[in-house]
Amino acid sequence: MTVPSPAPEREVVFNRLPLLRADRGISRSQLAEALGIHYQTIGYIERGEYSPSLHLALRIANFFDLPVEAVFSLEPFRPLAAEAFTARKAPVGEAG
C-alpha cells in the first residue's frame, strides 16, 4: 500500500503593495489601470491569494521605481525605514 504524500503548501509571495500604494497615494484601480490589469488582481496579490508572474512582478516594481526584491519576497518582510520606500536616485555627484 502506498501512502500518499502530503499536499504541497500553498506558495505565498509576500509584498509591500499596500504600503507602497499608500505612500504614493495610489488606489488599486489606478495601479491596475497603469499596469493594464483588473483592479481585483491587485487585491488578490496584496492579500497573497495570487502570486504575480515574473513579468507582472517586474512591471509592478518598475512602476514604483524599486528593485523587485523591495516589493516582493518569499519571506515575510521586516519593517523598513521610510527612506527605503523613496524612488532610487542617482548617487551624489552623478549627472541626472
Side-chain angles (χ1 to χ4, degrees), residues 46 71-72 89:
E46 288 182 351
V71 182
F72 297 99
K89 297 179 181 172

Side-chain angles (χ1 to χ4, degrees), residues 18-80:
L19 218 51
L20 292 168
R21 284 192 312 96
D23 182 62
R24 310 267 196 315
I26 298 168
S27 70
R28 285 182 180 163
S29 295
Q30 290 169 319
L31 178 58
E33 184 176 332
L35 297 169
I37 61 175
H38 196 278
Y39 76 93
Q40 288 180 326
T41 302
I42 300 297
Y44 293 141
I45 293 170
E46 288 182 351
R47 292 187 300 274
E49 297 172 7
Y50 172 76
S51 296
S53 67
L54 176 59
H55 185 258
L56 180 55
L58 291 168
R59 288 174 43 220
I60 292 170
N62 187 57
F63 177 87
F64 290 108
D65 196 25
L66 291 169
V68 72
E69 63 271 17
V71 182
F72 297 99
S73 175
L74 297 176
E75 301 292 327
F77 283 104
R78 292 182 297 199
L80 288 180

